Amino acid sequence: MGILLRNVRLLGHDASLYTVRIDGERITAVSRASVPPTAEDDVIDGDAKLALPGFVNAHTHLPMVLMRGLADDVPLEEWLEDYVWPLERKLTPEDVYWGTLLALAEALRGGTVAVADMYFHTDQVARAVEESGMRSVLSYGIIARSMSDGGERELRVTETLAAKWHGAAQGRIAVAVSPHSTYTCGEDVWRACRGLAKERGLGIHTHLSESREEVARVRERTGDSPPQYLERLGVLEVPTVAAHCVHVDEADLALLARRGVVVAHCPKSNAKLGNGLAPIHAMRARGVRVALGTDGAASNNRLDMIEELRAAWLLARGPSEDPRALSAGEAISMATDEGRAGLGLPPAHLKVGDVADVVLLRLDAPHTTPAGDAVSTLAFSSQSSDVTDVFVGGRPLMRKGRLLTIDEERVQSEVVRLLRRHTN
Ligand SMILES: [Zn+2]
């Protein structure tokens, strides 16, 4: 039995209506002519909605939806040390499981098909991702001053995680090695992470040059900028997703480009925490790959990729006084293609043979009328609630605005119930 999506517009094409056929995991036909269904096919009328391959959130901490709205107005270090970490120490595997499902429900509703996540109790994150039907590169955030001071144990957690989950859920789940940052991991921990990643063929997912303080501290300790420091340790030889990269100089950009590091740009988180804005225009001009991420909901406070791409172009254009600083197409490419590359997913362009990651988005709302160019409408006018249907690997996860793999009402009430234990 296949799926026949009729009367859909395709992102990147003209305004014609197409029929897309999905068999199993893949797209098997794309045609302007009508494609006759077989008797067992599920025929879906797209009502002239826009079909796109879905968004990739290249950097997040899914369970941090549990901290949505916690201390909204303090700087990064104070926020982590006085608010986030004390609550995180209390979180149980059960909290993380339900928190992840809540996050995935929000992400799916906004048309996200894949996420790069970094957290702890990662088995529970994996369990929730597996149930949701989405794709994910999961990692355990390693925090250790040295290998003898907790590092050995932290790396074993990642080894166990990789043995159990790398390639699991029909290949929808992969595992990365995540030394949390240059300021939370010592030099021998970084070297061991690089060794483990190389030995197991895993990528690295980390935070890099997020705040001025981080850069100043690393320079003082090592004489290098954070990217140069990681290069000296051999870390950037491993395929790396580096979140933030706000405070980077010309030499850093050349290095990130040369090593093919994928920067996960998180404009809302950087703006909210008052960390500045990553120079994505300069990055892209120098050949650095830039994907898009929301970061955790505690510093955003949403996991909404359409809102994030809007923040990306607004914040690229305003301060630079350049209306050409980031085009609609470039912003969408960051939220889709570049994220797929960063997560090691196969490209998806709604072509025959591509994996059937397909999102349908209505274009007939008042705020999207008249919908001329679909790329411009999506980047400049759409909102996440315009998403009506999500398919990942050909499997429907949301149909007509209803989630099929996550019981939202139950998830929301569990999260409220569980959080009450920690706040009372
Ligand atoms: Zn982060």
Side-chain angles (χ1 to χ4, degrees), residues 182-193:
T182 55
Y183 55 96
T184 48
C185 290
E187 194 161 314
D188 62 342
V189 177
W190 274 102
R191 288 188 199 277
C193 286

Side-chain angles (χ1 to χ4, degrees), residues 58 64 86 211 223 228 277 289 304 336 372 410:
M64 288 186 89
S211 68
Q228 289 156 358
L277 293 169
R289 311 201 70 167
D304 180 335
T336 54
R410 164 109 199 264

Side-chain angles (χ1 to χ4, degrees), residues 192-212:
C193 286
R194 165 190 175 266
L196 177 63
K198 280 197 151 185
E199 181 192 310
R200 302 289 167 94
L202 308 174
I204 282 187
H205 178 192
T206 190
H207 297 100
L208 194 64
S209 299
E210 181 175 5
S211 68
R212 268 188 212 287

